[in-house]
Amino acid sequence: MPALQPPSVLTTLEEYESLPEDVRAEVFDGQIYYMASPSEIHQTISTELTTILNTYIKSKKGSCKVFHAPFDVKLGDAPLTIVQPDLMIICDKSKLDGKRCNGAPDFIIEIVSPGNPSDDYIRKAYYYKNAGVREYWIVDPRRKTVTVNYFENNIISVQYPFDSIIKVNIYDDLQINFSEIADLLNI
């Protein structure tokens, strides 16, 4: 007869909030997952995309806000699910409480890290879609692709090469030219 396994202890919000500030972690269904620091390529892509998105929103005098990691997004309470997307746009300011976003951002971009690509392509896509994220992009520097998931209209996994101009579907007139970003990276 196999030995009974002790039940998994679920991480609480209080335990998560007590982690040291320099520890990068996410929580999926009450289980904590630690993250490595981002690479130079990751940071360059993140900075460029943050600048493009923020400049666009400011030029339109939009009410949405751009945030970048580390910034917590609490997708669920029971069990606890907290993520730190690389980039996000939040249009419903009632979701912001001064510490985090409570609920789904409108738009999320994750930049794939070489050590855990399935995290962005599978796990996070599942959680983001089910939480109500309208649009989710996966930027993969190794593959030189951008995968666009437009959950709002059930368009999933349209993949573009890095030399593409890609429309941000939550806006009528925003397009991002990835060839300009690729040129910065020399890839």
Side-chain angles (χ1 to χ4, degrees), residues 6-19 26-34 76-82 127:
S8 294
V9 177
L10 300 181
T11 300
T12 66
L13 181 60
E14 293 76 24
E15 291 168 332
Y16 176 78
E17 288 179 335
S18 71
L19 291 172
E26 294 178 312
V27 181
F28 293 94
D29 292 327
Q31 298 300 312
I32 196 158
Y33 295 84
Y34 295 95
D77 287 309
L80 183 65
T81 299
I82 295 180
Y127 282 92

Side-chain angles (χ1 to χ4, degrees), residues 131-169:
V133 172
R134 294 168 59 197
E135 186 167 353
Y136 170 45
W137 288 19
I138 304 167
V139 178
D140 192 330
R142 196 172 48 86
R143 292 182 180 169
K144 300 178 188 159
T145 60
V146 179
T147 303
V148 174
N149 298 283
Y150 188 32
F151 297 139
E152 189 170 58
N153 283 347
N154 286 320
I155 299 169
I156 303 174
S157 296
V158 177
Q159 198 168 83
Y160 298 90
F162 258 28
D163 62 355
S164 300
I165 297 173
I166 306 171
K167 183 181 184 319
V168 177
N169 293 292

Side-chain angles (χ1 to χ4, degrees), residues 170-185:
I170 66 166
Y171 291 109
D172 292 331
D173 60 348
L174 176 57
Q175 297 182 335
I176 297 177
N177 185 345
F178 265 85
S179 65
E180 292 175 356
I181 295 170
D183 287 348
L184 289 172
L185 303 170

